[in-house]
Amino acid sequence: MTDDKDFALWLAKEKRALADAGYQETAASFDRIKGRLGAILPLSVTLTAASLAGAFSQREYSIVCAFMALGFGITGSLCAAGLYSTTLISKNVSPDVVDTILSDVPERDETQATLWMAYTASYITAENTKIIGRDRRWLKAAWVSLSLTPIMSFLFSIVCGGWNSF
């Protein structure tokens, strides 16, 4: 009997450790995505400003620069939306919340309490994974916008007749 209880307690602690590790991985992924969005934002702002300067120069390439300013502005907006949009749900809770979580535990022992805390951490990690998925979409959209802006600007300027002199 004791061996079964010892094993159940070990298993519950192991599940809790795995749930905590999953939460840490999710938090690290969130930080990496926010870091990448934060790196693209100043680049896109700088490129937008330079493109606007070219657009107002009244030269033959001003229409290309105007389209580039628009594209890089969109990239900056996507980055800002991704950076502003969300925060992670914390698994660090107050003692009152722990009491609430453990109020439905069928048996009041260490094994069941550890399991319930592990399940709570797993649930929070699953919710945070959804949040990260949304932020990842913002990041992908920003990268696509950043990479396609020069090509699309060139094509749009040709379509709009901005390069008639060539």
Side-chain angles (χ1 to χ4, degrees):
M1 182 75 157
T2 305
D3 289 337
D4 288 341
K5 284 194 172 219
D6 289 342
F7 177 75
L9 180 59
W10 172 83
L11 184 60
K13 287 181 179 180
E14 203 57 33
K15 288 180 179 181
R16 174 75 192 268
L18 290 171
D20 289 342
Y23 178 85
Q24 293 301 323
E25 286 179 21
T26 303
S29 177
F30 181 78
D31 291 339
R32 282 191 304 272
I33 289 171
K34 293 295 185 179
R36 289 177 183 148
L37 285 167
I40 298 171
L41 183 60
L43 174 66
S44 65
V45 169
T46 302
L47 291 172
T48 301
S51 299
L52 282 172
F56 289 118
S57 69
Q58 300 300 320
R59 304 232 178 191
E60 63 273 356
Y61 53 81
S62 63
I63 192 163
V64 173
C65 291
F67 282 123
M68 288 180 71
L70 177 66
F72 292 135
I74 290 170
T75 301
S77 298
L78 291 169
C79 289
L83 286 169
Y84 180 74
S85 63
T86 53
T87 58
L88 289 181
I89 302 168
S90 176
K91 76 175 182 78
N92 298 326
V93 294
S94 68
D96 295 336
V97 175
V98 172
D99 290 339
T100 304
I101 292 169
L102 297 179
S103 66
D104 294 333
V105 174
E107 294 179 34
R108 304 283 293 178
D109 63 1
E110 185 179 2
T111 302
Q112 290 298 315
T114 303
L115 277 175
W116 279 69
M117 294 303 288
Y119 295 146
T120 301
S122 292
Y123 173 77
I124 291 170
T125 301
E127 291 300 310
N128 286 341
T129 301
K130 293 175 190 174
I131 292 169
I132 289 172
R134 287 189 297 264
D135 287 347
R136 189 174 287 130
R137 285 191 291 275
W138 286 116
L139 178 63
K140 285 181 182 180
W143 275 115
V144 167
S145 175
L146 182 68
S147 61
L148 289 181
T149 292
I151 296 165
M152 296 306 293
S153 298
F154 178 73
L155 293 176
F156 285 148
S157 66
I158 289 173
V159 169
C160 292
W163 287 39
N164 288 337
S165 59
F166 293 107

